[in-house]
């Protein structure tokens, strides 16, 4: 599966940005969800670098995280992102990648034994909404810019 698109933040986003911004998410519950998010300092997984673009997928309570080496995004600049995810069990961290402007920026963080892909009944939302409360405090998180 590949998820790709373009985003342009209206303000600079970096490792000092306080509030995470969700670009894309699919959320059923805290055990089955996915998001592509600019991780602010409020992102609860301390192993994910603040300011990075993180892809997280979770199924059956097991999760996989990868994030970008890049952790600074310039205001009013377009960025192309592509997340390539190959469902694999046992996990192979080399099969989940994040590309920014065509360059592999992947830092693999964790790799749980996923029980499914994104084959659960939930809406996919572009521009934000909610995420697993183990990643973000309950609430809504939206992207500030153009997608």
């Amino acid at each position: 599966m590949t998820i790709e698109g373009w985003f342009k933040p209206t303000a600079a986003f970096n490792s000092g940005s306080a509030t995470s911004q969700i670009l894309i998410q699919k959320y059923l519950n805290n055990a089955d969800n996915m998001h592509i998010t600019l991780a602010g300092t409020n992102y609860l997984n301390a192993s994910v670098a603040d300011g990075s673009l993180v892809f997280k997928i979770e199924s059956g309570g097991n999760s996989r995280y990868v994030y970008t080496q890049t952790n600074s995004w310039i205001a009013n600049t377009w960025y192309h992102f592509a997340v390539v995810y190959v469902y694999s069990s046992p996990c192979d961290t080399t099969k989940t990648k994040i590309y920014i402007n065509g360059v592999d920026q992947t830092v693999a963080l964790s790799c749980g034994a996923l029980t499914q892909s994104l084959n659960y009944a939930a809406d996919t939302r572009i521009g934000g909404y909610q995420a697993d409360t183990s990643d973000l405090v309950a609430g809504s998180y939206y992207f500030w810019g153009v997608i």
Side-chain angles (χ1 to χ4, degrees):
M1 167 187 76
T2 300
I3 302 170
E4 66 180 305
W6 292 87
F7 70 95
K8 180 174 78 167
T10 56
F13 191 92
N14 56 46
S15 59
S17 297
T19 305
S20 297
Q21 299 179 30
I22 297 173
L23 276 73
I24 299 174
Q25 62 85 242
K26 184 173 183 178
Y27 180 87
L28 179 62
N29 55 45
N30 279 349
D32 296 292
N33 58 82
M34 174 280 297
H35 64 251
I36 299 172
T37 300
L38 287 172
T41 58
N42 69 330
Y43 198 79
L44 299 176
N45 185 328
S47 299
V48 171
D50 293 341
S52 66
L53 184 69
V54 60
F55 169 69
K56 183 256 189 151
I57 184 169
E58 182 173 10
S59 66
N62 295 306
S63 58
R64 186 172 302 177
Y65 290 85
V66 295
Y67 62 94
T68 59
Q69 297 167 17
T70 299
N71 66 352
S72 183
W73 312 90
I74 300 167
N76 300 312
T77 300
W78 282 104
Y79 295 94
H80 179 264
F81 71 93
V83 174
V84 179
Y85 166 72
V86 177
Y87 175 74
S88 61
S89 187
C91 182
D92 180 351
T93 57
T94 66
K95 294 187 176 182
T96 304
K97 300 281 187 184
I98 299 179
Y99 296 88
I100 301 296
N101 297 330
V103 177
D104 184 356
Q105 290 280 314
T106 307
V107 176
L109 177 58
S110 67
C111 202
L114 302 178
T115 58
Q116 64 181 359
S117 187
L118 291 172
N119 298 327
Y120 51 86
D123 294 332
T124 299
R125 296 176 186 257
I126 298 172
Y129 190 47
Q130 62 190 51
D132 184 341
T133 55
S134 66
D135 298 315
L136 290 167
V137 175
S140 299
Y141 298 88
Y142 295 96
F143 177 68
W144 304 334
V146 181
I147 299 175

